[in-house]
Amino acid sequence: LAEAIVAQGRPGCPTRQPGIGAMACPIKARTPRRSKLLRATFLVALVAAASLAIARLSRHFAYVAPSAAELVPKSPEMMARVEQVKDKLGDRLISPQDAADMVNEGAMLIDVRTPKQIVEMTDSMSPDKAIVDALDDWVKDGKPTTAIKYAYEFGRKIVVSCTAGPKSTLAWEFLQEHGIEAFVIDGGFKAWSAANLPTKTHKFQQGQLK
């Protein structure tokens, strides 16, 4: 009788009757509903992981480095591409004064124009403390220069500038594609100069102006 009472207290167990040998209570099988729930959860996780992987691959393959025409200042090709990129800048587009403050705190400031463009467009002048490292060379080599990569990896902020903003916007896009978050000076050198921030005049070798 005691065995029967114990068995009756366990859901799903057959009742043992007095005088009848002990009956084994079967282990409760996983219910179809629970199995379906587990399968659904697994499928959701699998789809999410696949979607993330596809998004990353799509982003990688969707990016195409600027063409020669897109690297020409003020060209229709450059301006058309800048229109597609500029809305992505968000808080990465900063004022000249904010850029100057960053540089004073140790940020790397890069003029992404060629020496020839600097001479022809701003009378050989760049923002003070800027190094000349042309986007054209990054595109040619398929990656930013090692100095930029190391500076970023060691925690320095990267700020890019050009004449008025378009080329540095494309430089920002290029750096982002290579895992480097940078800041763009709104208005470029012209805005920097208009804000009465310090500038410097370059003396390029003739061979650099080709």
Side-chain angles (χ1 to χ4, degrees):
L1 180 60
E3 289 180 354
I5 294 173
V6 171
Q8 286 177 335
R10 297 175 60 187
C13 268
T15 302
R16 296 187 178 112
Q17 299 178 3
I20 300 178
M23 298 175 62
C25 181
I27 298 174
K28 186 177 181 181
R30 184 178 293 170
T31 64
R33 182 178 179 183
R34 186 181 178 192
S35 297
K36 288 180 180 178
L37 181 60
L38 289 174
R39 283 198 298 269
T41 302
F42 174 75
L43 288 175
V44 169
L46 185 63
V47 169
S51 298
L52 181 60
I54 292 172
R56 287 176 176 172
L57 287 172
S58 298
R59 179 186 171 190
H60 177 74
F61 289 110
Y63 178 79
V64 177
S67 65
E70 289 171 334
L71 290 173
V72 177
K74 299 181 181 180
S75 68
E77 292 83 358
M78 172 182 276
M79 301 313 294
R81 179 156 184 162
V82 169
E83 283 296 316
Q84 298 174 1
V85 177
K86 67 179 185 179
D87 289 340
K88 302 175 184 178
L89 289 172
D91 61 2
R92 295 291 163 167
L93 184 65
I94 60 176
S95 71
Q97 185 59 60
D98 286 343
D101 292 342
M102 283 186 183
V103 174
N104 289 334
E105 292 171 1
M108 175 184 276
L109 175 57
I110 306 169
D111 192 323
V112 298
R113 300 173 293 172
T114 64
K116 184 177 180 180
Q117 290 167 355
I118 293 172
V119 169
E120 293 179 348
M121 304 184 79
T122 54
D123 296 325
S124 300
M125 291 189 293
S126 285
D128 191 35
K129 299 182 181 179
I131 62 171
V132 178
D133 197 345
L135 170 60
D136 310 58
D137 294 335
W138 309 351
V139 172
K140 181 180 178 181
D141 295 339
K143 60 183 179 179
T145 53
T146 303
I148 299 173
K149 180 176 179 292
Y150 285 164
Y152 183 73
E153 289 178 350
F154 277 96
R156 292 184 70 186
K157 292 179 179 178
I158 307 299
V159 181
V160 291
S161 178
C162 60
T163 301
K167 191 169 188 179
S168 49
T169 297
L170 299 187
W172 171 85
E173 180 191 30
F174 188 95
L175 291 173
Q176 186 184 54
E177 184 62 23
H178 288 82
I180 298 174
E181 290 289 346
F183 295 87
V184 177
I185 298 178
D186 190 8
F189 175 78
K190 289 185 176 179
W192 178 282
S193 179
N196 294 317
L197 293 168
T199 63
K200 67 178 179 180
T201 301
H202 297 277
K203 294 183 178 179
F204 297 111
Q205 298 296 322
Q206 192 61 37
Q208 296 177 281
L209 303 178
K210 295 180 179 178

